[in-house]
Amino acid sequence: MIGHSVEGRPIEAVHVGGKGPVVLVVGCIHGNECAALPVVRELERAQPAHEDLWVIPEANPDGAAHGERLNAHGVDLNRNFPAGWRPGPRDGYYPGPRALSEPESQAMLAFIRRIHPAITIWFHQPQTVVRAWGDSRATALRYAGLTDMRYRSEVWPTGAVTRWQNDHGEVSFVVELVPGPLDAAGVRRHVGAILHLAG
C-alpha cells in the first residue's frame, strides 16, 4: 500500500518481480478510463524475463468507485503534478488549488521517487493512440508497433505526471485504449508488449 485516496481507499502497488530495468504500469488514473485493469491483472500473474515489473491498478480509486474522471475533490490528478503546473477552471481538467494538493498525486510521486522506473506506461481512454514527447518518443513508438496502434507525438499538458517524469529523465508515455472494454486479444497484445518492451 503506497497511500490512500481522499475517501480513504488504499492505493496499492504490486511488485511482480523479474530482473532488469524497472518498469511501472498504471492501469487507471482517470476513474472513468479503466479498460486496462484486465491487462494489469494479467501482468500480476506474469513472470517477466527482461524487466523488474511493478503495477498499480488504480491511482484514483475514488474516481473508479464513482465512475468519475476526477478524484473526490474534483481534481484531475493528471494535471496536479509539479511540472509546469498552473491554476485552471473547475472543469473536467481542474488541476487543483496547487501542485500536489491531492493525496493520490502525493502518493504516486513519492512511490515513483522510491523505485525510479526506467519506463512508465500510463493507460487512458478512449483515443486509441500511443502518445509521447521528448526522450520518451522512441520507446512509445516501439510500444505502438508491438501493439499495432497509432502513434502521435504530443507535448505534455501542464501538470501531467508524464511531463514531470520526463523532466526527471524517465521514459514515461500514455497509451490511450479503445472506447469501452478491451477484448481478450487486446489484453494479450498489451501484456505481451509490456513484457517485451525492456528486452
Side-chain angles (χ1 to χ4, degrees):
M1 189 171 63
I2 63 170
H4 289 85
S5 66
V6 171
E7 294 180 340
R9 293 181 175 88
I11 301 169
E12 298 176 337
V14 177
H15 188 202
V16 180
K19 293 182 179 179
V22 176
V23 174
L24 172 62
V25 178
V26 183
C28 180
I29 189 171
H30 292 142
N32 59 354
E33 300 179 10
C34 295
L37 291 180
V39 175
V40 171
R41 285 193 289 270
E42 286 297 316
L43 289 172
E44 289 176 357
R45 296 191 287 268
Q47 294 181 326
H50 307 291
E51 58 201 46
D52 183 8
L53 181 63
W54 289 83
V55 295
I56 295 176
E58 295 177 358
N60 180 9
D62 294 347
H66 300 299
E68 299 286 343
R69 172 185 174 88
L70 310 178
N71 78 345
H73 283 158
V75 172
D76 182 344
L77 296 174
N78 199 36
R79 301 293 186 277
N80 191 237
F81 285 79
W85 182 91
R86 61 185 181 207
R90 284 188 170 271
D91 58 11
Y93 302 92
Y94 176 53
R98 64 189 179 282
L100 296 178
S101 60
E102 305 309 299
E104 298 92 342
S105 49
Q106 293 169 21
M108 291 300 301
L109 184 141
F111 182 69
I112 290 167
R113 281 179 168 162
R114 188 178 116 204
I115 67 168
H116 299 291
I119 300 171
T120 305
I121 301 165
W122 296 86
F123 280 103
H124 290 260
Q125 285 179 277
Q127 297 177 13
T128 321
V129 67
V130 179
R131 292 189 284 110
W133 190 248
D135 292 340
S136 295
R137 285 178 286 192
T139 305
L141 190 57
R142 181 167 179 244
Y143 188 93
L146 289 168
T147 54
D148 197 27
M149 291 183 70
R150 292 180 301 117
Y151 167 80
R152 184 170 73 231
S153 291
E154 186 173 313
V155 177
W156 303 121
T158 56
V161 62
T162 43
R163 183 170 179 165
W164 179 80
Q165 286 186 277
N166 277 258
D167 285 354
H168 287 78
E170 297 173 2
V171 170
S172 177
F173 61 92
V174 165
V175 177
E176 289 263 2
L177 296 175
V178 297
L182 197 60
D183 63 21
V187 172
R188 288 193 299 271
R189 194 161 54 246
H190 285 279
V191 168
I194 291 164
L195 293 177
H196 288 88
L197 194 58

